[in-house]
Amino acid sequence: MTDKAIMLAAPSSGSGKTLVTCGLLQVLKNRGLKTVSFKCGPDYIDPMFHKHVIGIESANIDIFFAGNIISRKLFVENSKDSDIAVVEGVMGYYDGLSASSFEASSYDVSRTIGIPTILIVNAKGQSISSLAVLKGFSEFRDDSNIKGVIFNNMSPHVYEAIKERAEELTGLKPLGYLPNVKELTFESRHLGLIKPDEIRNLSEKLNNLANIMEQTIDIQGMLKIAELYESPETNSIDIVKFTENPKIAVARDEAFCFYYKDNLNILKKMGAQIQEFSPVHDDKLPEGTEGLILGGGYPELYADKLFGNQSMTKSIRTALSNGMPCLAECGGFMYLHEEMEDLEGKTYKALGIIPGKAYKTDKLGRFGYIQMSAKEDSLFMKKGETIKGHEFHYFDSESCGEAFKATKPITGKSWECMNIKNNIMAGFPHLYYYSKPDIAERFLRQALDYRRQFTRKVKET
Protein backbone atom coordinates (compact mmCIF):
# COMPACT_ATOMS: atom_id res chain seq x y z
CA MET A 1 0.00 0.00 0.00
CA THR A 2 1.11 3.57 -0.57
CA ASP A 3 2.40 5.74 2.26
CA LYS A 4 1.75 8.98 0.39
CA ALA A 5 -1.59 10.43 -0.71
CA ILE A 6 -2.89 13.87 -1.50
CA MET A 7 -6.19 15.43 -2.54
CA LEU A 8 -6.55 18.40 -4.88
CA ALA A 9 -9.83 20.18 -4.12
CA ALA A 10 -11.32 23.61 -4.74
CA PRO A 11 -13.98 26.05 -3.50
CA SER A 12 -16.11 25.40 -6.59
CA SER A 13 -16.36 23.67 -9.93
CA GLY A 14 -14.43 25.42 -12.67
CA SER A 15 -11.49 26.27 -10.42
CA GLY A 16 -8.99 24.15 -12.34
CA LYS A 17 -8.98 20.87 -10.38
CA THR A 18 -8.68 18.61 -13.42
CA LEU A 19 -6.03 20.80 -15.02
CA VAL A 20 -3.83 20.92 -11.91
CA THR A 21 -4.41 17.23 -11.16
CA CYS A 22 -3.36 16.17 -14.66
CA GLY A 23 -0.38 18.50 -14.51
CA LEU A 24 0.72 17.01 -11.19
CA LEU A 25 0.25 13.47 -12.51
CA GLN A 26 2.44 14.36 -15.48
CA VAL A 27 5.09 15.86 -13.17
CA LEU A 28 5.14 12.73 -11.01
CA LYS A 29 5.29 10.48 -14.07
CA ASN A 30 8.19 12.50 -15.49
CA ARG A 31 9.99 12.13 -12.16
CA GLY A 32 9.63 8.36 -12.36
CA LEU A 33 7.17 7.95 -9.48
CA LYS A 34 4.64 5.11 -9.72
CA THR A 35 1.40 7.01 -9.33
CA VAL A 36 -2.24 6.00 -8.98
CA SER A 37 -5.16 8.39 -9.20
CA PHE A 38 -8.73 8.74 -7.97
CA LYS A 39 -11.74 10.95 -8.58
CA CYS A 40 -14.18 11.84 -5.80
CA GLY A 41 -17.79 11.22 -6.76
CA PRO A 42 -19.43 9.49 -9.71
CA ASP A 43 -17.70 11.32 -12.59
CA TYR A 44 -16.44 9.25 -15.54
CA ILE A 45 -14.61 11.76 -17.74
CA ASP A 46 -12.03 13.24 -15.35
CA PRO A 47 -10.64 9.73 -14.68
CA MET A 48 -10.14 9.37 -18.45
CA PHE A 49 -7.80 12.35 -18.35
CA HIS A 50 -5.94 10.79 -15.42
CA LYS A 51 -5.55 7.55 -17.39
CA HIS A 52 -4.28 9.46 -20.42
CA VAL A 53 -1.40 10.72 -18.26
CA ILE A 54 -0.43 7.74 -16.12
CA GLY A 55 -1.54 4.94 -18.44
CA ILE A 56 -3.65 3.02 -15.91
CA GLU A 57 -7.32 3.21 -14.92
CA SER A 58 -8.29 5.81 -12.36
CA ALA A 59 -10.75 4.76 -9.65
CA ASN A 60 -13.67 6.66 -8.12
CA ILE A 61 -14.01 7.24 -4.37
CA ASP A 62 -17.63 7.73 -3.46
CA ILE A 63 -18.86 7.68 0.13
CA PHE A 64 -22.53 7.55 -0.94
CA PHE A 65 -21.94 4.54 -3.18
CA ALA A 66 -19.64 2.52 -0.94
CA GLY A 67 -19.94 3.87 2.60
CA ASN A 68 -17.00 4.62 4.89
CA ILE A 69 -15.64 1.12 5.44
CA ILE A 70 -15.70 -0.12 1.84
CA SER A 71 -14.36 3.25 0.63
CA ARG A 72 -11.33 2.90 2.90
CA LYS A 73 -10.75 -0.67 1.78
CA LEU A 74 -11.02 0.16 -1.91
CA PHE A 75 -8.69 3.14 -1.54
CA VAL A 76 -6.04 0.95 0.10
CA GLU A 77 -6.56 -1.80 -2.46
CA ASN A 78 -6.34 0.53 -5.46
CA SER A 79 -3.27 2.30 -4.00
CA LYS A 80 -1.16 -0.79 -3.39
CA ASP A 81 2.33 -0.93 -4.86
CA SER A 82 2.31 2.78 -5.70
CA ASP A 83 4.63 5.58 -4.63
CA ILE A 84 1.82 8.10 -4.27
CA ALA A 85 -1.95 8.36 -4.72
CA VAL A 86 -3.41 11.57 -6.15
CA VAL A 87 -7.12 12.29 -5.58
CA GLU A 88 -9.11 14.88 -7.51
CA GLY A 89 -12.02 16.39 -5.60
CA VAL A 90 -15.53 17.04 -6.87
CA MET A 91 -17.51 20.33 -7.07
CA GLY A 92 -16.81 22.63 -4.11
CA TYR A 93 -14.81 21.03 -1.27
CA TYR A 94 -17.74 20.86 1.16
CA ASP A 95 -20.54 20.24 -1.36
CA GLY A 96 -22.29 16.92 -0.74
CA LEU A 97 -25.53 15.06 -1.35
CA SER A 98 -27.68 18.16 -0.98
CA ALA A 99 -27.31 21.91 -0.67
CA SER A 100 -27.07 21.53 3.12
CA SER A 101 -25.06 18.30 3.43
CA PHE A 102 -21.34 17.47 3.71
CA GLU A 103 -22.05 13.78 3.04
CA ALA A 104 -20.18 12.34 0.02
CA SER A 105 -18.28 15.63 -0.47
CA SER A 106 -14.55 15.84 -1.12
CA TYR A 107 -14.21 16.93 2.51
CA ASP A 108 -16.09 13.80 3.59
CA VAL A 109 -13.66 11.64 1.59
CA SER A 110 -10.65 13.50 3.00
CA ARG A 111 -11.69 13.08 6.64
CA THR A 112 -12.96 9.51 6.19
CA ILE A 113 -9.79 8.17 4.59
CA GLY A 114 -7.36 10.67 6.12
CA ILE A 115 -6.09 12.23 2.89
CA PRO A 116 -4.43 15.66 3.34
CA THR A 117 -5.87 18.30 1.01
CA ILE A 118 -4.38 21.08 -1.07
CA LEU A 119 -6.93 23.72 -2.02
CA ILE A 120 -6.83 25.15 -5.54
CA VAL A 121 -8.09 28.73 -5.39
CA ASN A 122 -9.08 30.33 -8.67
CA ALA A 123 -7.61 33.80 -8.23
CA LYS A 124 -8.81 35.28 -11.51
CA GLY A 125 -9.72 38.91 -10.82
CA GLN A 126 -8.41 38.68 -7.24
CA SER A 127 -5.28 39.35 -5.25
CA ILE A 128 -5.46 39.43 -1.45
CA SER A 129 -9.18 38.59 -1.62
CA SER A 130 -8.14 35.06 -2.58
CA LEU A 131 -6.71 34.72 0.95
CA ALA A 132 -10.14 35.36 2.44
CA VAL A 133 -11.44 32.43 0.41
CA LEU A 134 -8.54 30.25 1.59
CA LYS A 135 -8.93 31.25 5.25
CA GLY A 136 -12.68 30.67 5.15
CA PHE A 137 -12.35 27.19 3.68
CA SER A 138 -9.48 26.06 5.90
CA GLU A 139 -11.22 27.23 9.10
CA PHE A 140 -14.82 26.41 8.17
CA ARG A 141 -14.43 23.01 9.84
CA ASP A 142 -11.93 22.16 12.59
CA ASP A 143 -11.05 18.97 10.71
CA SER A 144 -10.92 20.57 7.26
CA ASN A 145 -7.64 18.73 6.59
CA ILE A 146 -6.54 21.55 4.25
CA LYS A 147 -2.76 21.70 4.46
CA GLY A 148 -1.74 23.94 1.57
CA VAL A 149 -2.87 26.10 -1.34
CA ILE A 150 -2.16 26.57 -5.04
CA PHE A 151 -3.42 29.74 -6.71
CA ASN A 152 -4.75 29.20 -10.22
CA ASN A 153 -4.97 32.00 -12.81
CA MET A 154 -2.58 34.19 -10.82
CA SER A 155 0.22 36.28 -12.29
CA PRO A 156 3.80 35.98 -10.96
CA HIS A 157 3.91 39.51 -9.58
CA VAL A 158 0.62 39.11 -7.66
CA TYR A 159 1.85 35.83 -6.18
CA GLU A 160 5.12 37.42 -5.07
CA ALA A 161 3.15 40.24 -3.47
CA ILE A 162 0.79 38.04 -1.42
CA LYS A 163 2.65 34.79 -0.65
CA GLU A 164 4.05 36.02 2.68
CA ARG A 165 0.70 37.51 3.65
CA ALA A 166 -0.93 34.18 2.80
CA GLU A 167 1.02 32.34 5.47
CA GLU A 168 0.66 35.21 7.94
CA LEU A 169 -3.14 35.45 7.56
CA THR A 170 -4.07 31.79 7.11
CA GLY A 171 -1.27 29.79 8.73
CA LEU A 172 -0.91 27.82 5.47
CA LYS A 173 2.25 27.96 3.41
CA PRO A 174 1.38 28.65 -0.24
CA LEU A 175 2.73 26.06 -2.65
CA GLY A 176 2.84 28.28 -5.72
CA TYR A 177 0.68 29.43 -8.55
CA LEU A 178 -0.39 28.53 -12.07
CA PRO A 179 -0.58 31.41 -14.54
CA ASN A 180 -3.41 31.70 -17.02
CA VAL A 181 -2.32 29.58 -19.99
CA LYS A 182 -5.17 29.69 -22.51
CA GLU A 183 -3.94 26.79 -24.65
CA LEU A 184 -4.13 24.48 -21.63
CA THR A 185 -7.84 24.87 -20.87
CA PHE A 186 -10.17 21.90 -21.43
CA GLU A 187 -13.44 22.32 -23.33
CA SER A 188 -16.82 20.97 -22.19
CA ARG A 189 -19.89 19.36 -23.73
CA HIS A 190 -23.26 18.27 -22.37
CA LEU A 191 -21.87 15.49 -20.15
CA GLY A 192 -18.87 17.43 -18.89
CA LEU A 193 -15.40 17.78 -20.36
CA ILE A 194 -14.79 16.46 -23.83
CA LYS A 195 -12.84 13.19 -23.86
CA PRO A 196 -9.03 13.21 -23.87
CA ASP A 197 -8.81 11.54 -27.30
CA GLU A 198 -10.70 14.49 -28.78
CA ILE A 199 -8.07 17.05 -27.72
CA ARG A 200 -5.35 17.59 -30.27
CA ASN A 201 -1.79 17.15 -28.98
CA LEU A 202 -2.99 16.56 -25.43
CA SER A 203 0.18 14.75 -24.33
CA GLU A 204 2.31 17.64 -25.57
CA LYS A 205 0.06 20.14 -23.80
CA LEU A 206 0.24 18.21 -20.54
CA ASN A 207 4.03 18.03 -20.70
CA ASN A 208 4.09 21.79 -21.27
CA LEU A 209 1.82 22.17 -18.24
CA ALA A 210 4.12 19.93 -16.18
CA ASN A 211 7.12 22.06 -17.17
CA ILE A 212 5.31 25.20 -16.05
CA MET A 213 4.31 23.59 -12.75
CA GLU A 214 7.90 22.51 -12.08
CA GLN A 215 8.83 26.20 -12.26
CA THR A 216 5.89 27.81 -10.45
CA ILE A 217 4.77 25.21 -7.89
CA ASP A 218 6.61 23.71 -4.93
CA ILE A 219 6.33 20.04 -5.91
CA GLN A 220 8.56 18.92 -3.02
CA GLY A 221 6.28 20.81 -0.64
CA MET A 222 3.31 18.92 -2.08
CA LEU A 223 5.10 15.60 -1.59
CA LYS A 224 5.82 16.55 2.03
CA ILE A 225 2.11 17.15 2.59
CA ALA A 226 1.35 13.79 0.93
CA GLU A 227 3.52 12.15 3.62
CA LEU A 228 0.97 13.24 6.26
CA TYR A 229 -1.35 10.48 4.97
CA GLU A 230 -1.55 7.41 7.17
CA SER A 231 -2.96 4.34 5.48
CA PRO A 232 -5.97 3.00 7.42
CA GLU A 233 -5.87 -0.53 8.74
CA THR A 234 -8.34 -2.59 6.70
CA ASN A 235 -9.21 -6.19 5.92
CA SER A 236 -9.78 -7.51 2.42
CA ILE A 237 -13.31 -7.47 1.01
CA ASP A 238 -15.03 -10.87 0.97
CA ILE A 239 -16.13 -11.71 -2.56
CA VAL A 240 -17.71 -14.85 -4.02
CA LYS A 241 -15.35 -16.53 -6.49
CA PHE A 242 -16.33 -18.60 -9.53
CA THR A 243 -13.79 -21.17 -10.70
CA GLU A 244 -15.53 -21.55 -14.07
CA ASN A 245 -14.40 -18.06 -15.20
CA PRO A 246 -17.39 -16.81 -17.21
CA LYS A 247 -16.42 -14.76 -20.26
CA ILE A 248 -17.92 -11.26 -20.20
CA ALA A 249 -17.79 -8.91 -23.19
CA VAL A 250 -17.58 -5.21 -22.26
CA ALA A 251 -18.31 -2.58 -24.92
CA ARG A 252 -15.41 -0.12 -24.93
CA ASP A 253 -14.79 2.41 -27.67
CA GLU A 254 -15.54 6.04 -28.50
CA ALA A 255 -19.29 5.44 -28.15
CA PHE A 256 -19.23 3.37 -24.92
CA CYS A 257 -16.61 4.48 -22.43
CA PHE A 258 -18.24 5.14 -19.04
CA TYR A 259 -17.24 2.43 -16.55
CA TYR A 260 -16.36 2.44 -12.87
CA LYS A 261 -13.02 0.69 -12.40
CA ASP A 262 -14.30 -1.02 -9.26
CA ASN A 263 -17.33 -2.47 -11.11
CA LEU A 264 -15.09 -4.28 -13.57
CA ASN A 265 -12.66 -5.20 -10.79
CA ILE A 266 -15.32 -6.89 -8.69
CA LEU A 267 -16.31 -9.01 -11.68
CA LYS A 268 -12.64 -9.96 -12.18
CA LYS A 269 -12.29 -10.81 -8.48
CA MET A 270 -15.28 -13.10 -8.81
CA GLY A 271 -13.48 -14.90 -11.61
CA ALA A 272 -14.86 -13.26 -14.75
CA GLN A 273 -12.76 -13.04 -17.88
CA ILE A 274 -13.29 -9.51 -19.18
CA GLN A 275 -12.85 -9.00 -22.91
CA GLU A 276 -13.41 -5.56 -24.37
CA PHE A 277 -14.86 -5.07 -27.84
CA SER A 278 -16.08 -2.24 -30.04
CA PRO A 279 -19.71 -2.03 -31.20
CA VAL A 280 -18.52 0.69 -33.59
CA HIS A 281 -15.62 -1.14 -35.25
CA ASP A 282 -15.87 -4.91 -34.62
CA ASP A 283 -17.96 -7.30 -36.71
CA LYS A 284 -19.35 -9.39 -33.86
CA LEU A 285 -19.15 -10.18 -30.17
CA PRO A 286 -15.92 -11.81 -29.00
CA GLU A 287 -15.84 -15.58 -29.51
CA GLY A 288 -17.25 -17.48 -26.56
CA THR A 289 -19.02 -14.48 -24.96
CA GLU A 290 -21.35 -15.57 -22.14
CA GLY A 291 -22.43 -12.21 -20.74
CA LEU A 292 -22.62 -8.67 -22.10
CA ILE A 293 -22.13 -5.25 -20.50
CA LEU A 294 -23.08 -2.11 -22.43
CA GLY A 295 -21.88 0.93 -20.49
CA GLY A 296 -22.66 4.58 -20.86
CA GLY A 297 -21.00 7.02 -23.21
CA TYR A 298 -21.86 8.94 -26.35
CA PRO A 299 -23.81 6.69 -28.75
CA GLU A 300 -25.64 9.81 -29.93
CA LEU A 301 -22.37 11.11 -31.43
CA TYR A 302 -21.63 7.88 -33.31
CA ALA A 303 -25.13 6.67 -34.21
CA ASP A 304 -24.41 6.51 -37.93
CA LYS A 305 -21.43 4.18 -37.41
CA LEU A 306 -23.11 2.17 -34.65
CA PHE A 307 -26.28 1.37 -36.53
CA GLY A 308 -24.49 1.13 -39.85
CA ASN A 309 -22.53 -1.78 -38.37
CA GLN A 310 -25.23 -4.32 -39.20
CA SER A 311 -23.09 -7.38 -38.49
CA MET A 312 -22.48 -6.23 -34.90
CA THR A 313 -26.11 -5.29 -34.23
CA LYS A 314 -27.16 -8.69 -35.57
CA SER A 315 -24.58 -10.45 -33.37
CA ILE A 316 -25.81 -8.69 -30.22
CA ARG A 317 -29.48 -9.06 -31.10
CA THR A 318 -29.05 -12.80 -31.71
CA ALA A 319 -27.09 -13.34 -28.49
CA LEU A 320 -29.67 -11.53 -26.35
CA SER A 321 -32.55 -13.34 -28.06
CA ASN A 322 -30.83 -16.62 -27.20
CA GLY A 323 -30.72 -15.73 -23.51
CA MET A 324 -27.29 -14.17 -22.99
CA PRO A 325 -27.43 -12.00 -19.82
CA CYS A 326 -26.90 -8.29 -20.35
CA LEU A 327 -26.45 -5.25 -18.12
CA ALA A 328 -26.96 -1.99 -20.04
CA GLU A 329 -26.65 1.52 -18.62
CA CYS A 330 -27.57 4.92 -20.05
CA GLY A 331 -25.90 4.99 -23.49
CA GLY A 332 -25.94 1.20 -23.61
CA PHE A 333 -29.64 1.28 -22.72
CA MET A 334 -30.31 3.79 -25.52
CA TYR A 335 -28.48 1.51 -27.98
CA LEU A 336 -30.93 -1.32 -27.22
CA HIS A 337 -34.07 0.65 -28.19
CA GLU A 338 -36.17 0.14 -31.30
CA GLU A 339 -35.23 3.67 -32.33
CA MET A 340 -32.64 6.20 -31.16
CA GLU A 341 -32.08 9.84 -32.01
CA ASP A 342 -28.62 11.31 -32.46
CA LEU A 343 -27.49 14.69 -31.16
CA GLU A 344 -29.01 16.44 -34.19
CA GLY A 345 -32.40 14.75 -33.73
CA LYS A 346 -32.02 12.30 -36.62
CA THR A 347 -33.76 8.99 -35.88
CA TYR A 348 -32.05 5.62 -36.42
CA LYS A 349 -33.39 2.10 -36.31
CA ALA A 350 -31.63 0.62 -33.29
CA LEU A 351 -31.35 -2.93 -31.89
CA GLY A 352 -35.05 -3.42 -31.17
CA ILE A 353 -34.66 -4.99 -27.72
CA ILE A 354 -36.26 -2.15 -25.71
CA PRO A 355 -39.58 -0.88 -27.13
CA GLY A 356 -39.97 2.72 -28.27
CA LYS A 357 -37.48 5.50 -28.86
CA ALA A 358 -34.56 7.06 -26.99
CA TYR A 359 -34.73 10.75 -27.81
CA LYS A 360 -32.90 14.02 -27.23
CA THR A 361 -34.18 16.61 -24.74
CA ASP A 362 -33.07 20.15 -24.00
CA LYS A 363 -32.28 19.68 -20.33
CA LEU A 364 -30.56 17.43 -17.85
CA GLY A 365 -32.99 14.75 -16.68
CA ARG A 366 -33.28 13.01 -13.30
CA PHE A 367 -29.79 14.15 -12.29
CA GLY A 368 -27.98 12.86 -9.20
CA TYR A 369 -27.54 10.01 -6.76
CA ILE A 370 -30.30 7.47 -6.27
CA GLN A 371 -31.05 4.38 -4.21
CA MET A 372 -32.99 1.83 -6.23
CA SER A 373 -35.37 -0.69 -4.68
CA ALA A 374 -36.52 -3.75 -6.66
CA LYS A 375 -40.31 -3.91 -7.00
CA GLU A 376 -40.43 -7.60 -7.96
CA ASP A 377 -38.20 -10.68 -7.94
CA SER A 378 -35.98 -11.13 -10.98
CA LEU A 379 -32.81 -12.93 -12.01
CA PHE A 380 -30.86 -9.83 -10.94
CA MET A 381 -32.51 -8.64 -7.71
CA LYS A 382 -35.06 -9.85 -5.19
CA LYS A 383 -38.07 -7.74 -4.27
CA GLY A 384 -37.11 -5.07 -1.75
CA GLU A 385 -33.36 -5.35 -2.31
CA THR A 386 -31.56 -2.10 -2.99
CA ILE A 387 -28.59 -0.92 -5.01
CA LYS A 388 -27.13 2.57 -5.38
CA GLY A 389 -26.58 4.45 -8.59
CA HIS A 390 -26.42 7.78 -10.36
CA GLU A 391 -28.25 9.39 -13.28
CA PHE A 392 -26.90 12.10 -15.59
CA HIS A 393 -28.34 12.33 -19.11
CA TYR A 394 -29.78 14.79 -21.60
CA PHE A 395 -31.66 12.04 -23.44
CA ASP A 396 -34.87 10.33 -22.37
CA SER A 397 -36.81 7.22 -23.32
CA GLU A 398 -40.36 6.16 -24.06
CA SER A 399 -39.52 3.02 -22.02
CA CYS A 400 -37.61 4.10 -18.90
CA GLY A 401 -38.94 0.99 -17.16
CA GLU A 402 -40.66 0.30 -13.88
CA ALA A 403 -38.77 -2.63 -12.35
CA PHE A 404 -37.28 -0.41 -9.63
CA LYS A 405 -38.28 2.57 -7.55
CA ALA A 406 -35.49 5.14 -7.56
CA THR A 407 -35.30 7.51 -4.58
CA LYS A 408 -33.05 10.52 -4.17
CA PRO A 409 -31.26 10.76 -0.82
CA ILE A 410 -32.12 13.70 1.43
CA THR A 411 -35.13 14.93 -0.61
CA GLY A 412 -36.91 11.59 -0.98
CA LYS A 413 -38.05 12.43 -4.52
CA SER A 414 -38.76 9.18 -6.37
CA TRP A 415 -39.64 7.71 -9.77
CA GLU A 416 -39.76 4.34 -11.52
CA CYS A 417 -36.90 3.12 -13.66
CA MET A 418 -35.13 0.11 -15.24
CA ASN A 419 -36.34 -2.56 -17.61
CA ILE A 420 -35.87 -6.20 -16.64
CA LYS A 421 -36.68 -8.56 -19.45
CA ASN A 422 -35.66 -12.06 -18.36
CA ASN A 423 -31.91 -12.01 -19.06
CA ILE A 424 -31.64 -8.24 -19.66
CA MET A 425 -31.46 -5.39 -17.13
CA ALA A 426 -31.32 -1.99 -18.79
CA GLY A 427 -31.99 1.62 -17.85
CA PHE A 428 -30.55 5.09 -17.49
CA PRO A 429 -29.03 4.64 -13.98
CA HIS A 430 -25.32 3.90 -13.65
CA LEU A 431 -25.05 1.20 -10.98
CA TYR A 432 -22.29 0.76 -8.42
CA TYR A 433 -21.83 -2.96 -7.83
CA TYR A 434 -20.09 -2.70 -4.44
CA SER A 435 -23.31 -1.21 -3.03
CA LYS A 436 -24.95 -4.58 -3.80
CA PRO A 437 -22.35 -7.21 -4.81
CA ASP A 438 -25.15 -9.76 -5.27
CA ILE A 439 -25.99 -8.18 -8.61
CA ALA A 440 -22.51 -8.96 -9.97
CA GLU A 441 -22.68 -12.49 -8.57
CA ARG A 442 -26.12 -13.18 -10.08
CA PHE A 443 -25.06 -11.74 -13.43
CA LEU A 444 -22.10 -14.13 -13.55
CA ARG A 445 -24.30 -17.06 -12.51
CA GLN A 446 -26.58 -16.24 -15.44
CA ALA A 447 -23.53 -16.18 -17.72
CA LEU A 448 -22.60 -19.68 -16.55
CA ASP A 449 -26.18 -20.84 -17.05
CA TYR A 450 -25.99 -19.47 -20.58
CA ARG A 451 -22.75 -21.43 -21.10
CA ARG A 452 -24.42 -24.66 -19.99
CA GLN A 453 -27.47 -23.94 -22.14
CA PHE A 454 -25.28 -23.22 -25.17
CA THR A 455 -23.16 -26.35 -24.54
CA ARG A 456 -26.30 -28.50 -24.28
CA LYS A 457 -27.64 -27.15 -27.59
CA VAL A 458 -24.32 -27.89 -29.30
CA LYS A 459 -24.39 -31.48 -28.02
CA GLU A 460 -27.98 -31.95 -29.15
CA THR A 461 -27.09 -30.86 -32.66
Side-chain angles (χ1 to χ4, degrees), residues 10-11 16 77 189 196-197 238 393 455:
E77 181 181 292
R189 68 153 57 92
D197 57 9
D238 292 330
H393 49 91
T455 302

Side-chain angles (χ1 to χ4, degrees), residues 80-96:
K80 66 182 180 181
D81 302 323
S82 68
D83 296 319
I84 184 171
V86 177
V87 181
E88 180 183 347
V90 61
M91 301 194 304
Y93 186 51
Y94 293 107
D95 297 328

Side-chain angles (χ1 to χ4, degrees), residues 290-293 320 323-327 380 423-424 443 446-447 450:
E290 295 158 341
L292 174 63
I293 296 180
L320 298 186
M324 180 182 291
C326 173
L327 291 170
F380 296 92
N423 53 306
I424 300 167
F443 172 66
Q446 289 182 63
Y450 178 80

Side-chain angles (χ1 to χ4, degrees), residues 357-424:
K357 178 192 285 190
Y359 57 93
K360 180 178 177 291
T361 71
D362 296 324
K363 61 181 181 179
L364 191 60
R366 297 185 294 280
F367 165 70
Y369 289 113
I370 51 174
Q371 178 153 304
M372 297 163 48
S373 176
K375 293 172 61 181
E376 301 292 342
D377 288 346
S378 71
L379 294 173
F380 296 92
M381 300 276 282
K382 298 182 186 303
K383 182 177 180 180
E385 288 184 332
T386 61
I387 187 169
K388 292 180 179 178
H390 187 267
E391 287 199 42
F392 191 108
H393 49 91
Y394 281 83
F395 278 66
D396 212 328
S397 167
E398 295 174 348
S399 300
C400 287
E402 52 186 28
F404 285 78
K405 179 181 179 182
T407 304
K408 289 183 69 68
I410 310 295
T411 68
K413 181 180 178 181
S414 64
W415 59 87
E416 293 180 334
C417 64
M418 303 299 290
N419 295 267
I420 295 183
K421 184 179 179 182
N422 297 322
N423 53 306
I424 300 167

Side-chain angles (χ1 to χ4, degrees), residues 61 193 252 301 334:
I61 315 177
L193 294 174
R252 174 94 75 168
L301 299 181
M334 290 162 55

Side-chain angles (χ1 to χ4, degrees), residues 331-361:
F333 165 57
M334 290 162 55
Y335 181 56
L336 293 179
H337 279 67
E338 291 175 333
E339 293 182 320
M340 194 196 91
E341 288 185 353
D342 67 7
L343 202 57
E344 305 302 319
K346 181 181 176 180
T347 298
Y348 292 81
K349 182 180 179 182
L351 267 73
I353 305 297
I354 301 295
K357 178 192 285 190
Y359 57 93
K360 180 178 177 291
T361 71

Side-chain angles (χ1 to χ4, degrees), residues 5-305:
I6 198 166
M7 178 183 289
L8 299 174
S12 67
S13 296
S15 298
K17 293 189 297 292
T18 303
L19 186 71
V20 176
T21 299
C22 288
L24 178 60
L25 292 174
Q26 189 69 59
V27 167
L28 298 175
K29 179 182 178 181
N30 293 349
R31 290 188 174 199
L33 294 176
K34 187 175 180 182
T35 307
V36 294
S37 66
F38 298 81
K39 172 68 180 182
C40 292
D43 182 82
Y44 287 106
I45 299 178
D46 290 348
M48 293 182 191
F49 280 86
H50 300 182
K51 180 183 178 181
H52 181 89
V53 181
I54 61 178
I56 59 174
E57 295 286 346
S58 177
N60 294 73
I61 315 177
D62 197 301
I63 301 295
F64 172 75
F65 279 163
N68 292 351
I69 295 173
I70 297 297
S71 293
R72 290 191 195 100
K73 290 183 177 183
L74 289 175
F75 185 78
V76 170
E77 181 181 292
N78 286 315
S79 300
K80 66 182 180 181
D81 302 323
S82 68
D83 296 319
I84 184 171
V86 177
V87 181
E88 180 183 347
V90 61
M91 301 194 304
Y93 186 51
Y94 293 107
D95 297 328
L97 291 182
S98 73
S100 61
S101 172
F102 298 128
E103 187 181 349
S105 65
S106 303
Y107 158 70
D108 197 11
V109 171
S110 174
R111 65 178 177 177
T112 296
I113 302 178
I115 307 168
T117 296
I118 293 174
L119 198 69
I120 300 166
V121 175
N122 185 358
K124 184 177 181 179
Q126 297 179 339
S127 56
I128 199 168
S129 293
S130 62
L131 304 186
V133 176
L134 173 62
K135 186 175 181 66
F137 268 79
S138 64
E139 297 180 5
F140 185 62
R141 301 286 290 178
D142 292 339
D143 59 349
S144 73
N145 218 14
I146 295 172
K147 306 298 182 182
V149 61
I150 294 171
F151 296 99
N152 189 24
N153 291 313
M154 180 173 277
S155 66
H157 75 271
V158 170
Y159 180 73
E160 288 300 318
I162 70 164
K163 65 179 184 180
E164 291 184 6
R165 292 285 281 161
E167 190 165 5
E168 175 188 331
L169 293 173
T170 70
L172 296 171
K173 182 178 180 180
L175 295 161
Y177 68 97
L178 192 63
N180 185 349
V181 186
K182 292 182 180 179
E183 62 268 25
L184 295 178
T185 57
F186 297 153
E187 297 178 21
S188 298
R189 68 153 57 92
H190 59 285
L191 291 183
L193 294 174
I194 64 173
K195 295 180 296 180
D197 57 9
E198 299 176 84
I199 299 178
R200 188 177 179 183
N201 300 323
L202 179 58
S203 295
E204 179 183 340
K205 290 179 178 180
L206 289 171
N207 269 298
N208 290 340
L209 174 61
N211 291 335
I212 292 171
M213 290 178 65
E214 286 279 19
Q215 298 171 45
T216 65
I217 292 176
D218 181 5
I219 302 299
Q220 287 305 121
M222 295 181 73
L223 294 175
K224 281 287 186 185
I225 289 175
E227 291 176 359
L228 298 175
Y229 165 74
E230 295 183 7
S231 181
E233 294 293 329
T234 65
N235 300 319
S236 60
I237 302 171
D238 292 330
I239 296 294
V240 172
K241 292 181 174 61
F242 294 91
T243 58
E244 301 95 329
N245 306 118
K247 188 171 183 179
I248 307 301
V250 175
R252 174 94 75 168
D253 57 20
E254 58 267 42
F256 302 102
C257 49
F258 294 169
Y259 294 98
Y260 294 127
K261 176 181 178 179
D262 290 320
N263 277 359
L264 299 183
N265 277 354
I266 195 173
L267 292 172
K268 292 175 184 176
K269 287 178 189 176
M270 289 180 172
Q273 302 176 65
I274 302 295
Q275 184 164 348
E276 296 181 354
F277 75 102
S278 170
V280 173
H281 302 290
D282 294 339
D283 294 330
K284 60 181 181 179
L285 289 171
E287 198 67 34
T289 297
E290 295 158 341
L292 174 63
I293 296 180
L294 299 169
Y298 295 107
E300 66 272 22
L301 299 181
Y302 305 97
D304 190 54
K305 292 181 179 179

